[in-house]
Amino acid sequence: MCRKCVYSIVILFASFFYSLHADASIVREREFYEKRGDVIWDYGMMQVRYISITFDDGPNPEFTPKILDLLAKYNAKATFFITGEKAEKHPKLVKRIVNEGHEIGNHTYSHMYNANISEEVLTDELTRTAEIIKGILGFSPILYRPVGGLYNDSIVAIAKKNNYQVVLWSWHQDPKDWMNPGVQKIVSHVQTGMKPGDIILLHDSGGNRSQTIEALELILKDANRKKFNAVTVSELMILSEEIPPFLFSL
C-alpha cells in the first residue's frame, strides 16, 4: 500500500478516536500529541542542516511580495499559513507563493483567536479557507496552524477529522516579531537558537512587518553562512523520514 494511502487511513483512525474523547478543556503535554504525530513542533533529532521558516496571517500586498523577493534572492523555501479572508482579497499573491515553490497552509478564514472554538465554527473556518484556496490554486492545503498556536484535544480532533496535519513551531523559535521588538532582537533570537529541524515563526501580515523583512535578510544570510537549507514544512517532514509512532500500532 502506498505511503499516502497508509497516512490517510491513519488520519481516519485518529479522527475517530479523538472524536470520542475530545475535550476543549484538556490541553495535554506536548509529548502526548507529538508521539501520535497529531501536532508538529519541530524535528529536533534531525542531523542534516535543514530548517523551515513559516509566515502567519497573510498574504499582505505590501509585505508578502518583499518576503518572497528575499526568499528568491537566497534560494530559500518557506511555508505561508494564510487566512481565507486575505486569500480571497489577494489571489494573485497566493498564486505567486506557490508558483515560486513555497507552501500554503490553512490559518482559518477570519483569524479567530479562541481556544474554546466550537467544532461547527472551526470546521466552517477551515472549510471556507480550503474552498477559497482550491478555487485559486486547484487544490486544498493539508497543513493547519491554529491561530495563536492554541491547541487542545478538541482543536486537534477537529483538525484530524478534516484531514489536516497541525503544525506549530519550535518553542525556542518564536522571536515575537509581531510585537516589533527591533530588528536585531528578532535576528538574535532566531540565530542564537538555530539548529537542524527547527520550524521558525515569523509574520507577513497583522501589522507593520518592516522589521520582519529587515530581520529576514539577516537571518537568511546567517543561515547560508552556516550551511542551513530553508525548506517547506512538508519537505522538512520528508527529509526527517519521521513516521508518526501511532502508525505502528495499527
Side-chain angles (χ1 to χ4, degrees):
M1 187 181 293
C2 70
R3 184 170 179 175
K4 185 175 181 181
C5 296
V6 172
Y7 187 62
S8 298
I9 292 170
V10 170
I11 287 177
L12 289 173
F13 270 92
S15 301
F16 176 72
F17 174 81
Y18 274 108
S19 68
L20 296 177
H21 299 88
D23 185 338
S25 66
I26 297 176
V27 182
R28 304 177 193 270
E29 294 294 329
R30 167 174 169 170
E31 185 180 14
F32 176 86
Y33 302 105
E34 212 163 25
K35 276 188 173 181
R36 290 159 176 74
D38 296 332
V39 183
I40 295 169
W41 278 268
D42 53 38
Y43 291 99
M45 301 301 290
M46 201 171 195
Q47 300 301 311
V48 287
R49 299 175 82 79
Y50 289 98
I51 57 172
S52 187
I53 303 174
T54 64
F55 298 91
D56 284 8
D57 304 346
N60 179 283
E62 180 179 358
F63 302 111
T64 306
K66 293 176 181 178
I67 287 171
L68 290 170
D69 289 344
L70 282 174
L71 293 171
K73 179 178 178 180
Y74 291 94
N75 194 30
K77 302 304 178 189
T79 298
F80 291 77
F81 289 93
I82 67 176
T83 67
E85 193 172 32
K86 289 176 183 171
E88 205 167 29
K89 293 177 182 176
H90 309 293
K92 288 183 180 178
L93 265 180
V94 176
K95 286 182 180 178
R96 181 182 168 187
I97 289 170
V98 172
N99 287 343
E100 294 186 10
H102 308 293
E103 183 174 37
I104 294 287
N106 195 324
H107 199 44
T108 75
Y109 180 81
S110 63
H111 202 258
M112 188 181 296
Y113 185 86
N114 182 4
N116 298 309
I117 191 168
S118 69
E119 179 175 358
E120 181 182 5
V121 172
L122 181 52
T123 298
D124 180 64
E125 288 272 319
L126 292 171
T127 302
R128 288 179 73 187
T129 302
E131 288 174 350
I132 289 165
I133 293 172
K134 187 173 183 179
I136 297 168
L137 299 173
F139 61 87
S140 300
I142 59 172
L143 305 182
Y144 157 56
R145 175 170 283 166
V147 175
L150 297 174
Y151 66 92
N152 52 42
D153 275 11
S154 177
I155 288 173
V156 171
I158 296 164
K160 288 291 183 182
K161 189 174 182 179
N162 286 277
N163 297 320
Y164 284 99
Q165 171 64 62
V166 179
V167 177
L168 295 180
W169 55 84
S170 303
W171 280 348
H172 61 285
Q173 285 294 10
D174 176 9
K176 293 182 169 51
D177 64 317
W178 58 274
M179 295 177 69
N180 290 320
V183 173
Q184 197 51 52
K185 282 192 176 181
I186 298 170
V187 174
S188 296
H189 188 107
V190 174
Q191 285 179 342
T192 301
M194 190 182 293
K195 63 181 188 294
D198 277 358
I199 295 178
I200 299 165
L201 172 63
L202 294 172
H203 295 78
D204 63 335
S205 193
N208 188 328
R209 300 279 74 90
S210 297
Q211 288 187 10
T212 300
I213 291 165
E214 285 187 54
L216 178 63
E217 179 149 29
L218 296 174
I219 289 166
L220 291 170
K221 278 184 180 178
D222 184 61
N224 279 359
R225 182 177 62 82
K226 294 176 180 175
K227 307 299 182 185
F228 278 98
N229 294 299
V231 299
T232 67
V233 170
S234 289
E235 288 171 328
L236 198 66
M237 287 185 209
I238 294 167
L239 289 162
S240 74
E241 297 182 346
E242 190 164 313
I243 300 173
F246 58 73
L247 181 67
F248 300 104
S249 64
L250 292 181

